[in-house]
Amino acid sequence: MPVDQAEAMPNRHALTRALGVYRSIELSTRIEEARPGDLLLLCTDGISKVLAREEIAALLAEAGELDAAARRFIARANEAGGPDNATAVLLRWTL
């Protein structure tokens, strides 16, 4: 689903799939090729709904040490009003 459609969904904040709730779940998968130096940000909507895509991209571009970068994401979300929990996990490919 395109991002603009997903952002317009009335229940976009609701969990529709969760591990441990049902005996089985329907998985959605997507395969992307990762290259050395690529970063993956896993975050809650406390970050993705608060920070603009451009700011997220800028923070990723300047990410050095990953723990410090994740803390910067959380700090920026809190500085921007932080209406929800903010969690960030960063992964960097090295091979």
Side-chain angles (χ1 to χ4, degrees):
M1 170 182 303
V3 173
D4 59 334
Q5 285 181 354
E7 290 175 348
M9 298 295 291
N11 293 323
R12 66 188 169 278
H13 64 284
L15 288 176
T16 58
R17 298 181 200 165
L19 296 175
V21 177
Y22 302 106
R23 289 179 95 54
S24 65
I25 61 167
E26 178 184 335
L27 297 177
S28 296
T29 61
R30 183 171 130 181
I31 298 173
E32 297 287 335
E33 184 176 337
R35 296 175 302 234
D38 282 355
L39 287 171
L40 173 65
L41 168 65
L42 303 172
C43 67
T44 59
D45 61 352
I47 291 173
S48 64
K49 295 297 182 197
V50 174
L51 303 182
R53 288 174 169 234
E54 296 79 16
E55 184 170 7
I56 291 172
L59 287 168
L60 286 171
E62 64 189 35
E65 197 274 316
L66 297 184
D67 184 59
R71 291 177 192 279
R72 277 193 300 279
F73 272 99
I74 294 166
R76 278 296 306 127
N78 287 335
E79 290 166 8
D84 201 351
N85 294 332
T87 302
V89 176
L90 286 163
L91 303 165
R92 178 178 287 130
W93 272 258
T94 58
L95 299 176

